[in-house]
Amino acid sequence: MGQRYWVIGGEYRDCRFDEVVPGTEEISGPFPDALRARTEWTRLTFRDRLAATTRYVITQEAVVR
């Protein structure tokens, strides 16, 4: 069993980060390893570093082969 990694996020309504503003959702991936996902997370995070309500996370998915 392998892993795939995704970077997901967007702009949230407020700093509680419980509701994404419709139309701002972003999904990047899948990435074959955590390092590539981390590189994309860094790119997105620094691109939007001045937006206090924008957040991205890395998530992983088990791949059954």
Side-chain angles (χ1 to χ4, degrees):
M1 181 166 33
Q3 302 286 328
R4 293 195 305 185
Y5 297 85
W6 301 82
V7 180
I8 59 174
E11 181 183 348
Y12 288 79
R13 293 233 183 257
D14 55 42
C15 290
R16 288 184 304 222
F17 300 104
D18 56 5
E19 185 180 350
V20 177
V21 175
T24 67
E25 306 91 344
E26 288 190 58
I27 301 173
S28 296
F31 299 98
D33 57 59
L35 179 61
R36 290 184 190 171
R38 178 69 179 219
T39 300
E40 177 66 1
W41 175 87
T42 301
R43 184 187 74 79
L44 292 170
T45 299
F46 282 97
R47 180 191 72 183
D48 298 326
R49 68 184 173 272
L50 298 177
T53 56
T54 301
R55 176 181 277 184
Y56 300 95
V57 297
I58 298 172
T59 187
Q60 64 184 25
E61 167 189 24
V63 177
V64 180
R65 296 178 188 193

